[in-house]
Amino acid sequence: MSTPPLRKDAAQNRNRIVEVARRYVDDGKPLQLNDVARTASIGVATVYRHFPTPEALLETVALPAVEKLVQRAEQALTEPDPWTALRDFLAAAIEAMLTDPAVPPVFAAATNSLEHTGDLKRGLVTAFAELLARAHAAGVIDPSVTEADMTPLMCGIAYAANVHNTHGPSERAANGLRYLTLLLTGLRRS
């Protein structure tokens, strides 16, 4: 069942809410719907009509980055070299986590407010499992490395890049990619 398109004014309000929320997230401010409404100069009821919870708004803010990561996963699945495919997908994941502050809390959430978010996250898990299985089958990664191992390792890379860097997102991402390269060098089997 598809949702009917929003009226022009409703679409403008929704876009304004998302723009303000994007600024809040980028500035490290908590997403309180009443505060977003006040900053957007939109009624609180309008904000709640579009986004019933702060989590739903956060997922909406993160959506472009998550969708881009899904595209990168799909590209990786077409890469014939299993090592390159795995490496490129993990690099895209690190980049997403370190350049968009909306992404880590959405990935870390145990539940999703929006069905689409859950679908995207499940798709990423499935793609990663396939990429890792291909790398195992090709013998290019330590066979003892599991999907469950990679999640905390990726979180560790993101944490290290954030903690040891006072610069902007692009430098954090560059450091995260450097740490990922070091990790993957240790896991690679030639």
Side-chain angles (χ1 to χ4, degrees):
M1 184 169 130
S2 64
T3 307
L6 293 174
R7 291 183 337 260
K8 186 177 180 179
D9 62 328
Q12 289 172 337
N13 284 341
R14 186 181 192 287
N15 290 340
R16 178 76 180 131
I17 294 163
V18 173
E19 287 171 10
V20 168
R22 172 87 263 170
R23 283 198 317 266
Y24 270 54
V25 170
D26 290 344
D27 293 344
K29 294 179 183 177
L31 271 185
Q32 301 296 323
L33 297 182
N34 291 357
D35 294 342
V36 170
R38 189 173 21 264
T39 302
S41 299
I42 294 175
V44 173
T46 300
V47 173
Y48 278 89
R49 210 171 12 261
H50 287 283
F51 303 101
T53 64
E55 293 79 14
L57 181 53
L58 180 64
E59 288 176 25
T60 302
V61 169
L63 189 60
V66 176
E67 287 176 336
K68 182 179 177 185
L69 186 55
V70 168
Q71 291 172 345
R72 298 287 297 272
E74 291 167 355
Q75 289 172 346
L77 289 169
T78 66
E79 166 61 50
D81 178 53
W83 178 256
T84 300
L86 179 65
R87 181 199 65 210
D88 289 355
F89 172 70
L90 292 176
I94 285 293
E95 184 178 10
M97 289 192 300
L98 293 173
T99 58
D100 188 337
V103 170
V106 168
F107 281 166
T111 60
N112 305 301
S113 295
L114 307 175
E115 186 177 336
H116 186 56
T117 304
D119 293 342
L120 292 171
K121 287 169 63 175
R122 282 185 293 280
L124 288 170
V125 168
T126 300
F128 173 66
E130 185 175 335
L131 292 167
L132 187 59
R134 286 176 52 199
H136 280 141
V140 295
I141 192 165
D142 184 328
S144 68
V145 175
T146 67
E147 294 171 52
D149 294 329
M150 291 304 296
T151 299
L153 291 172
M154 294 291 285
C155 290
I157 289 169
Y159 178 79
N162 278 317
V163 166
H164 298 294
N165 189 341
T166 58
H167 298 86
S170 61
E171 188 167 325
R172 282 194 304 271
N175 283 339
L177 293 173
R178 186 172 148 270
Y179 300 153
L180 176 64
T181 298
L182 293 170
L183 171 72
L184 290 176
T185 299
L187 298 177
R188 186 164 190 183
R189 297 293 177 253
S190 300

